[in-house]
Amino acid sequence: MILRRIATAFRKQDWFTVAVETLIVVFGVFIGLQVNNWNAARVSRSDAADLASRLRIEAEETRADIAAYLALNELILTDAKRLAVRLGESETCLAMGDETKALILGIGDFPPPRFSLSSANEALETGRLSLIGSPEIRDSVREMADQMAFMDNQWQRYVRVKQETEKAAYTAAGLRLMTESDLEVRPGTDVIAGLDQYEMTTPNRICGNTVVIALVSNAALTQHLYSIYVSEVADRLDTYTAALSGTKAQP
């Protein structure tokens, strides 16, 4: 319609009408572009707010998971320390059969960190992190993702120490499953429960064994160092969560 009016004005050499109609077209295109830009900016702000919210919730949940993880590792570390001391006291070690056996069976315990910042990693991999305008927060997300990845790598490195210690302790203690006849179902039960399925055939070879004591002590130290690092990651996570919330972390 407008183009027809402009063409008619051209034929009549009505330059005023041509100018007015042209301005109307230009103005309409401009308004359309602005509306599109406003809509795009609104969607971008909404996406950024949604991403920041997901990152914050993820960080809070991960922080709670780490707290539970540290508590579990503290229990395992305490048992490892007890075993190292127990093995160094030969008479006490030999006298406390079932308790010592339980400590030996648990020396290989070292649960992996079953948590991660999956939303942060996805934002990094897909480039969606650019939705967040603050360069400080973007850097914080990258740093926190690196810290979590390094924590997992450290666990994979340290778990070998626990596995080697477990093997040495089991070998020295002569740990074995009881014979098939010993494993017959007890009256009123379906299976023999827990540690009753295992016995130490050579407790005298592990109690007072300086090599095994050194390995167990090293395993305890390794888990202790790992727990310290995880605690540091937890502190960084507090700061990270506060940054995502737009507040400063409390000292």
Side-chain angles (χ1 to χ4, degrees):
M1 185 72 177
I2 291 178
L3 292 178
R4 190 163 53 228
R5 289 203 300 267
I6 292 175
T8 300
F10 262 114
R11 285 195 298 270
K12 294 180 179 181
Q13 295 187 347
D14 185 354
W15 306 121
F16 177 77
T17 301
V18 170
V20 170
E21 296 292 352
T22 301
L23 286 174
I24 290 174
V25 172
V26 171
F27 185 72
V29 172
F30 174 77
I31 291 298
L33 291 174
Q34 284 298 104
V35 169
N36 286 337
N37 290 339
W38 290 332
N39 285 334
R42 179 179 57 80
V43 171
S44 180
R45 285 194 299 271
S46 177
D47 289 346
D50 178 67
L51 176 59
S53 176
R54 287 194 292 112
L55 292 176
R56 178 181 54 77
I57 293 172
E58 175 182 71
E60 291 171 349
E61 292 175 346
T62 301
R63 182 65 181 85
D65 290 340
I66 287 181
Y69 184 64
L70 282 170
L72 176 59
N73 273 275
E74 186 61 31
L75 293 175
I76 296 172
L77 175 58
T78 297
D79 282 349
K81 291 177 179 177
R82 288 178 60 207
L83 178 59
V85 173
R86 178 73 55 79
L87 292 178
E89 302 168 347
S90 295
E91 293 184 7
T92 303
C93 176
L94 290 168
M96 303 184 73
D98 285 344
E99 186 176 344
T100 300
K101 178 173 66 174
L103 292 175
I104 292 172
L105 285 172
I107 189 57
D109 289 349
F110 194 18
R114 293 186 177 89
F115 42 81
S116 65
L117 300 178
S118 56
S119 293
N121 290 330
E122 180 186 8
L124 286 166
E125 292 170 1
T126 61
R128 284 178 55 80
L129 187 61
S130 61
L131 290 171
I132 296 178
S134 169
E136 291 80 11
I137 292 182
R138 292 199 300 269
D139 289 344
S140 183
V141 173
R142 294 187 187 95
E143 180 184 356
M144 201 67 246
D146 286 343
Q147 291 289 342
M148 296 293 288
F150 184 73
M151 181 176 67
D152 184 65
N153 290 336
Q154 286 296 91
W155 178 85
Q156 294 183 43
R157 172 189 171 194
Y158 287 160
V159 72
R160 298 189 187 97
V161 174
K162 299 282 284 186
Q163 291 170 339
E164 292 169 0
T165 302
E166 179 183 70
K167 181 179 179 180
Y170 287 7
T171 300
L175 187 70
R176 73 175 181 91
L177 278 167
M178 300 176 73
T179 63
E180 190 170 342
S181 60
D182 292 328
L183 289 173
E184 289 179 358
V185 176
R186 292 177 177 178
T189 65
D190 293 327
V191 293
I192 292 180
L195 304 185
D196 289 343
Q197 299 176 76
Y198 306 90
E199 66 174 340
M200 295 188 300
T201 60
T202 56
N204 56 304
R205 287 182 53 201
I206 190 171
C207 293
N209 187 320
T210 56
V211 174
V212 176
I213 292 171
L215 288 171
V216 171
S217 299
N218 184 48
L221 175 60
T222 296
Q223 192 150 16
H224 189 187
L225 293 175
Y226 182 72
S227 293
I228 290 174
Y229 178 71
V230 174
S231 296
E232 292 175 352
V233 171
D235 291 340
R236 291 190 177 98
L237 198 57
D238 288 337
T239 303
Y240 170 71
T241 304
L244 291 172
S245 302
T247 59
K248 292 183 179 180
Q250 296 298 318

